[in-house]
Amino acid sequence: MWLEWLVAWSWSLDGLRDCIATGIQSVRDCDGTAVVTVACLLVMFVWYCYHVGREQPRPHVSVNSLLQGVDANGLQNGSMYCQSPECVRCTHHDGLNQKLYHNLQEYAKRYSWSGMGRIHKGIREQGRYLSSQPSIQKPEVFFLPDLPTTPYFSRDAQKHDVELLERNFQAILCEFETLYKAFSNCSLPQGWKVNSTPSGEWFTFDFVNQGVCVPRNCRKCPRTYRLLGSLRTCIGNNVFGNACISVLSPGTVITEHYGPTNIRIRCHLGLKTPNGCELVVGGEPQCWAEGRCLLFDDSFLHTAFHEGSAEDGPRVVFMVDLWHPNVAAAERQALDFIFAPGR
């Protein structure tokens, strides 16, 4: 065996030596013009590789932004285009419906097609639904058909969770006030995020961001985090679920925008609600109240503003996304699977 290997290796070396010798002889046989041409091409190739290597990568641009355009302020559909590949708003692409249908098929194979009619219908005709929706309600990512549509919901829509949140108002407020003291020590304390607004300042402190828990922030507010686990209808396992503390400073206006889907209702528990603050959803204005929950469908065109003075202090709400009351339990399970973070 070893002898055969040595003979084969010797033959390979002989072949390599003959190949090199042939190449050298070919160069010797060429005239000067050919040699210069080859040398020039080699220099140009080296220069091209160097130039490409120095280029900075171009920023990601989604198909959605190309179709709809972005204005001079970087605003798309009234909300900031963040260009993040993780953001559910910024990952639109031509194959989205095919991807959703594939996820639905995978779910049905593992579990059942029972109760999937409305989701199947929604995915199959998603393009038509999104394009034909009236301008007052236009979810940016996913529309589930045949859901009752209204800008605001009564407290009874998710009565258990509303009452639980309101009973724990003081506990959430206390943890917020502890967090907010850090603003006197630095411009933006750890864990807080700045959101783009045409005027004023809008800060959020995330506990759940697009279905992903933020452990560092949750550890700072343990009672609030435990409360989230006690809510029956909190969306915590798919990209449409969020929970945070939202702070608007005086003089802040949030540009009108649409949420990504109609399968959820957004709940605001008022923590600090000075005069001059208002939420407008689908053209209907409402005011927050401290210790009270306000429920609305953020797939409707909506905005918020704080027109109070500096002495009034910030408007603060605890925000959590709850399931739309007309989304059935089987549909919720399937949607959690289809829109699981990172899927």
Side-chain angles (χ1 to χ4, degrees):
M1 177 179 177
W2 285 100
L3 182 60
E4 293 177 357
W5 182 81
L6 287 173
V7 170
W9 184 57
S10 176
W11 180 87
S12 298
L13 288 178
D14 290 341
L16 179 62
R17 184 172 58 251
D18 292 343
C19 182
I20 294 174
T22 302
I24 293 174
Q25 186 60 40
S26 298
V27 172
R28 287 175 178 173
D29 294 342
C30 289
D31 58 16
T33 303
V35 173
V36 171
T37 302
V38 172
C40 289
L41 291 173
L42 181 61
V43 170
M44 290 176 66
F45 176 72
V46 171
W47 174 85
Y48 173 78
C49 292
Y50 172 75
H51 179 72
V52 171
R54 290 190 60 206
E55 278 190 346
Q56 296 296 322
R58 296 181 180 179
H60 167 75
V61 179
S62 71
V63 172
N64 194 53
S65 68
L66 293 175
L67 293 176
Q68 299 183 18
V70 180
D71 65 21
N73 296 320
L75 296 174
Q76 175 187 315
N77 273 351
S79 59
M80 188 62 187
Y81 177 61
C82 68
Q83 297 184 347
S84 169
E86 289 79 26
C87 179
V88 68
R89 298 175 184 271
C90 303
T91 55
H92 296 200
H93 54 83
D94 291 335
L96 178 61
N97 287 0
Q98 288 82 352
K99 180 180 178 182
L100 296 182
Y101 189 71
H102 171 79
N103 292 347
L104 174 60
Q105 285 184 313
E106 186 177 346
Y107 172 84
K109 287 178 182 177
R110 293 190 185 186
Y111 304 101
S112 170
W113 278 103
S114 177
M116 297 299 104
R118 187 159 53 175
I119 296 177
H120 182 240
K121 177 183 177 182
I123 292 175
R124 188 178 67 247
E125 302 184 37
Q126 195 63 203
R128 181 174 66 84
Y129 285 130
L130 294 183
S131 63
S132 63
Q133 279 297 105
S135 60
I136 196 172
Q137 184 192 27
K138 197 175 286 291
E140 295 183 334
V141 179
F142 179 74
F143 179 78
L144 186 64
D146 306 324
L147 286 181
T149 58
T150 178
Y152 293 97
F153 287 80
S154 71
R155 295 161 44 80
D156 291 337
Q158 297 295 5
K159 185 175 181 180
H160 173 273
D161 289 350
V162 166
E163 292 178 348
L164 185 60
L165 286 167
E166 291 180 350
R167 284 199 303 269
N168 287 272
F169 160 69
Q170 288 294 342
I172 301 172
L173 177 62
C174 182
E175 291 190 328
F176 159 71
E177 289 176 337
T178 301
L179 285 175
Y180 200 64
K181 290 177 182 177
F183 273 86
S184 61
N185 300 324
C186 60
S187 58
L188 187 67
Q190 190 178 50
W192 287 89
K193 181 174 65 177
V194 180
N195 301 280
S196 179
T197 57
S199 63
E201 295 176 320
W202 175 23
F203 304 101
T204 51
F205 188 84
D206 292 325
F207 301 106
V208 179
N209 180 31
Q210 295 190 2
V212 178
C213 180
V214 185
R216 181 176 60 190
N217 288 359
C218 293
R219 285 193 292 269
K220 294 180 180 179
C221 300
R223 297 177 70 179
T224 302
Y225 175 62
R226 285 197 297 271
L227 176 63
L228 284 174
S230 301
L231 299 176
R232 293 178 181 174
T233 60
C234 175
I235 301 179
N237 298 317
N238 72 54
V239 296
F240 299 127
N242 302 273
C244 69
I245 293 174
S246 173
V247 178
L248 293 187
S249 63
T252 300
V253 176
I254 298 177
T255 309
E256 288 186 322
H257 62 286
Y258 303 95
T261 184
N262 67 329
I263 67 171
R264 71 187 187 190
I265 56 176
R266 181 150 282 186
C267 176
H268 281 184
L269 172 65
L271 301 182
K272 290 183 177 292
T273 58
N275 293 329
C277 298
E278 200 166 69
L279 173 70
V280 182
V281 182
E284 300 181 22
Q286 290 278 356
C287 294
W288 297 275
E290 292 182 4
R292 302 282 288 180
C293 287
L294 183 61
L295 306 179
F296 64 99
D297 183 343
D298 74 324
S299 68
F300 282 79
L301 187 66
H302 64 285
T303 181
F305 53 87
H306 183 351
E307 294 181 336
S309 63
E311 292 75 21
D312 294 328
R315 183 240 58 178
V316 186
V317 298
F318 175 63
M319 188 208 81
V320 58
D321 290 323
L322 308 176
W323 284 103
H324 190 293
N326 294 91
V327 178
E331 292 175 319
R332 296 177 187 182
Q333 181 178 326
L335 290 167
D336 277 345
F337 182 91
I338 294 168
F339 290 101
R343 175 172 289 279

